[in-house]
Amino acid sequence: MRKIFITAAIVLAMGGAASAQRYCVIDTKYILESIPEYKESQKKLDAVAEQWQKEIDAKFQEVDKMYKSYQAEQVMLTEELKRKREDEIVAREKEAKDLQKKRFGYEGDLFKKREELVKPIQDRIYNAVQKLSASRMFDFVLDKAAGATVIFSDPKLDKSEEILKSLGVKK
């Protein structure tokens, strides 16, 4: 009986401590999309990505053209010339794939460009969230845009507008 009472007291104490914790909800997607600098950065990133994709597509089209030409002439080529042309095609295809990886691969040029353009904005948002948390004494800040599953949140807990105000985006 005494163990049950102690266990119940611990559970109640933990429940009371948990309810004493303060938290708020933000939507970083909404915040980012409300910042004009972010929209401009996204446009720049999209333009750069499109330009790079065209460059890569042109390389692959060149490889395709070389391959079709090789197939049409293959019957008339010696074994040595066949091997030479095949090696050229494989080398060009490798160049195209390497360029694709360099531009769009993990930590590639697009990743670095995104870091250059978007990270400073994300850092400003993080600092604003940190200031809000410190001034309001929030223990937790949940982001409903970052994949954290928030089934329901009271709209009055959403502090996204306050973050935008502290960033000077909204008055």
Side-chain angles (χ1 to χ4, degrees):
M1 186 67 161
R2 189 173 184 183
K3 285 183 181 180
I4 294 173
F5 179 73
I6 292 172
T7 304
I10 291 172
V11 169
L12 287 173
M14 289 173 61
S19 67
Q21 294 177 337
R22 295 178 40 116
Y23 64 93
C24 71
V25 177
I26 63 169
D27 185 345
T28 53
K29 182 179 180 199
Y30 167 74
I31 293 169
L32 282 169
E33 290 172 354
S34 298
I35 298 174
E37 294 167 68
Y38 177 76
K39 290 178 184 176
E40 193 59 38
S41 294
Q42 277 304 119
K43 285 180 187 176
K44 287 178 185 175
L45 281 172
D46 292 345
V48 167
E50 186 178 335
Q51 176 188 341
W52 287 342
Q53 188 60 52
K54 285 179 182 177
E55 181 183 0
I56 291 165
D57 290 345
K59 295 246 183 225
F60 278 113
Q61 286 174 355
E62 182 184 341
V63 170
D64 190 48
K65 192 175 181 181
M66 288 174 70
Y67 181 72
K68 286 178 181 175
S69 173
Y70 167 74
Q71 281 186 319
E73 299 168 1
Q74 183 178 11
V75 178
M76 299 178 282
L77 299 174
T78 65
E79 287 301 315
E80 184 179 325
L81 283 174
K82 283 182 185 179
R83 202 167 24 260
K84 184 179 175 189
R85 295 274 294 275
E86 288 170 358
D87 290 346
E88 286 175 5
I89 293 168
V90 168
R92 288 283 172 89
E93 186 175 27
K94 185 181 181 322
E95 284 176 21
K97 286 180 179 178
D98 288 347
L99 181 61
Q100 187 175 37
K101 184 177 178 182
K102 179 182 181 264
R103 297 288 194 212
F104 297 108
Y106 178 69
E107 293 192 13
D109 293 342
L110 187 64
F111 175 83
K112 290 173 186 166
K113 192 73 170 169
R114 180 173 280 121
E115 283 260 312
E116 173 190 322
L117 295 173
V118 176
K119 188 163 182 348
I121 299 166
Q122 290 173 325
D123 289 345
R124 283 182 35 220
I125 293 169
Y126 177 77
N127 291 335
V129 169
Q130 216 172 12
K131 285 179 186 174
L132 177 73
S133 298
S135 69
R136 298 284 193 85
M137 294 183 272
F138 289 127
D139 295 316
F140 298 102
V141 177
L142 303 172
D143 182 4
K144 61 184 177 182
T149 306
V150 177
I151 304 294
F152 170 80
S153 69
D154 189 337
K156 68 183 175 201
L157 294 174
D158 191 333
K159 303 302 179 194
S160 301
E161 292 294 326
E162 286 187 51
I163 298 298
L164 287 169
K165 285 177 188 173
S166 72
L167 292 169
V169 176
K170 292 199 174 183
K171 303 277 180 198

